[in-house]
Amino acid sequence: GAGVSQSPSNKVTEKGKDVELRCDPISGHTALYWYRQSLGQGLEFLIYFQGNSAPDKSGLPSDRFSAERTGGSVSTLTIQRTQQEDSAVYLCASSLTGMAGELFFGEGSRLTVL
Amino acid sequence: ELKVEQNPLFLSMQEGKNYTIYCNYSTTSDRLYWYRQDPGKSLESLFVLLSNGAVKQEGRLMASLDTKARLSTLHITAAVHDLSATYFCAVGFNTDKLIFGTGTRLQVFP
């Protein structure tokens, strides 16, 4: 596609529910990243994929968070049993060749947990 | 610990003035990025700096990288209102992890 596409753009959920956030990277980009940005804060690294494998999962905040990528393309970030502190904008980025290259960001998915 | 620090965190400047934003990082790296974020929007790539001494310029913005000092600067020349945004530096480390700085919120007023 023309750019990184994320869905949903906005999600409001109740505490304890599970949510799935989707990222469709730029076609041909092998590397995919998830970051979290809380209101007025910087970006917190969550996870990075090279192809379908995730060499670095160290940023996932807890075992309630998981991510997968299939076919070297679309990625899904799943948050189980959401908590209020999970409220943030979740940003996805892709890169043609990994970190040595430029990251292109999607518009983000704004998650609000009530 | 991998740390990336920016200063200042907030910058209010008058149109026409010059200023520099600093980005310091804690561990050896040879790739650094600058991004711009407008309120409610995603991040837009400004500069990619991949070697010591790299300098890049686009319009009123110029970025440089000193890997020995672990320092990058983003210099603003003759600021205009359209430059008002939050600017982030991001540093790449060995495992391909990209760590972002805290951001510098720039406000340019007449």
Side-chain angles (χ1 to χ4, degrees), chain A:
Chain A
V4 178
S5 177
Q6 291 188 246
S7 62
S9 55
N10 273 288
K11 175 73 176 178
V12 180
T13 190
E14 294 180 346
K15 178 181 172 182
K17 300 285 188 182
D18 298 351
V19 297
E20 280 190 356
L21 307 176
R22 175 189 166 107
C23 173
D24 199 344
I26 294 172
S27 178
H29 280 198
T30 60
L32 185 149
Y33 311 84
W34 284 98
Y35 287 86
R36 178 167 72 173
Q37 187 175 31
S38 300
L39 186 64
Q41 301 296 311
L43 275 73
E44 176 188 4
F45 171 81
L46 297 179
I47 190 169
Y48 150 67
F49 288 93
Q50 182 67 285
N52 290 336
S53 64
D56 191 344
K57 302 180 182 179
S58 62
L60 293 176
S62 74
D63 59 8
R64 296 186 295 105
F65 287 72
S66 63
E68 63 176 15
R69 188 180 185 194
T70 55
S73 181
V74 173
S75 176
T76 302
L77 177 69
T78 301
I79 309 172
Q80 295 178 309
R81 305 180 303 281
T82 51
Q83 304 293 313
Q84 288 183 332
E85 60 263 28
D86 298 335
S87 297
V89 176
Y90 290 81
L91 290 164
C92 176
S94 71
S95 175
L96 186 61
T97 58
M99 286 292 189
E102 191 175 359
L103 264 62
F104 295 87
F105 281 85
E107 293 292 317
S109 292
R110 181 178 297 277
L111 174 66
T112 303
V113 182
L114 302 177

Side-chain angles (χ1 to χ4, degrees), chain B residues 28-42:
Chain B
T28 301
S29 171
D30 59 2
R31 53 192 190 278
L32 189 138
Y33 308 80
W34 284 96
Y35 288 87
R36 167 182 172 146
Q37 186 177 37
D38 291 293
K41 301 292 185 181
S42 191

